[in-house]
Amino acid sequence: DIQLTQSPSTLSASVGDRVTITCRASQNIYSSLAWYQQKPGRAPKLLIYKASNLESGVPSTFSGSGFGTEFTLTVSSLQPDDFASYYCQQYNRYPWTFGQGTKVEIK
Amino acid sequence: EVHLVESGGDLVHPGGSRRLSCAASGFTFSFYEMNWIRQAPGQGLEWLANISISGSVTSYADSVKGRFTISRDNGKNSVFLQMNSLRAEDTAIYYCATGGDNGAYFQHWGQGTVVTVSS
């Protein structure tokens, strides 16, 4: 199975900060990577697909980059609504797998 | 607007069975692959099963292969997850989700249904 390792596991930041979350894959997944946001008690929400494509309706403060085994999710200016958990997911090869998650907390 | 509503979650005894349903609306259901994903309490996300547009091809995570079965009814805009031989570690929120327009990511999600496996 393809393992996805996110770092950091927890991130403390302030409103207006630029934050970056990294997702590393155990093997080449090309650009078959998505990012999700999940708030407590809610279902995950798709943010980014194909490593860098912004899902419709997602603020442009979110961006994704990377190819192969290393990927990043960047929030250019953290807003109060952005404090949540974030997960990467690979869909290059079955079984599709998720990273363990990154919780973005208020500093 | 895409709407996915899961149902069927409940308290189940170990070794028991349960069938989850997911009713879809607001999009052409028969155009999309469908998935089940779960989240154990306080844990991350785990993909469980996928079904093709026609329903003829299915894929499963090893953790549920042979115990869970995904199916769909395009006439009723619904996808199902039959869960047998349930274990305590199957306790989770179960989400259904559509495949993506441009790949096998999870574009739209339901709100989830809770399955608790306990004696």
Side-chain angles (χ1 to χ4, degrees), chain A residues 1 34 36 38 41-46 48-50 55 87 89-91 94-100, chain B residues 33 35 37 39 43-47 50 59-62 95 102-111:
Chain A
D1 297 2
Y36 304 86
Q38 187 179 32
R42 302 289 296 275
K45 172 188 172 184
L46 176 68
I48 301 282
Y49 62 93
K50 205 176 179 182
E55 172 67 353
Y87 295 90
Q89 175 242 334
Q90 68 81 21
Y91 50 96
Y94 283 119
W96 297 326
T97 49
F98 290 89
Q100 82 281 10
Chain B
E33 297 188 2
N35 301 273
I37 297 143
Q39 186 169 35
Q43 302 302 307
L45 300 165
E46 180 187 17
W47 169 78
N50 168 271
S59 299
Y60 297 92
D62 285 347
Y95 298 102
N102 300 290
Y105 47 90
F106 311 119
Q107 189 161 11
H108 302 287
W109 297 65
Q111 85 290 346

Side-chain angles (χ1 to χ4, degrees), chain A residues 72-89:
Chain A
T72 59
L73 173 71
T74 298
V75 186
S76 60
S77 178
L78 206 61
Q79 299 303 301
D81 193 46
D82 301 336
F83 291 95
S85 293
Y86 294 85
Y87 295 90
C88 57
Q89 175 242 334

Side-chain angles (χ1 to χ4, degrees), chain B residues 3-97:
Chain B
H3 207 43
L4 298 170
V5 180
E6 301 92 337
S7 61
D10 204 346
L11 173 64
V12 185
H13 292 306
S17 297
R18 197 73 187 167
R19 188 190 196 215
L20 305 183
S21 299
C22 171
S25 61
F27 66 105
T28 307
F29 180 75
S30 59
F31 284 7
Y32 286 84
E33 297 188 2
M34 294 298 296
N35 301 273
W36 286 96
I37 297 143
R38 71 183 177 186
Q39 186 169 35
Q43 302 302 307
L45 300 165
E46 180 187 17
W47 169 78
L48 300 178
N50 168 271
I51 188 165
S52 64
I53 291 170
S54 67
S56 61
V57 179
T58 57
S59 299
Y60 297 92
D62 285 347
S63 60
V64 303
K65 196 175 297 182
R67 299 189 300 125
F68 290 11
T69 301
I70 189 172
S71 61
R72 67 189 295 162
D73 184 337
N74 285 344
K76 294 183 178 179
N77 289 350
S78 294
V79 62
F80 308 98
L81 187 67
Q82 177 66 44
M83 305 186 296
N84 299 329
S85 303
L86 283 162
R87 308 164 180 166
E89 55 263 37
D90 295 318
T91 294
I93 301 171
Y94 286 73
Y95 298 102
C96 67

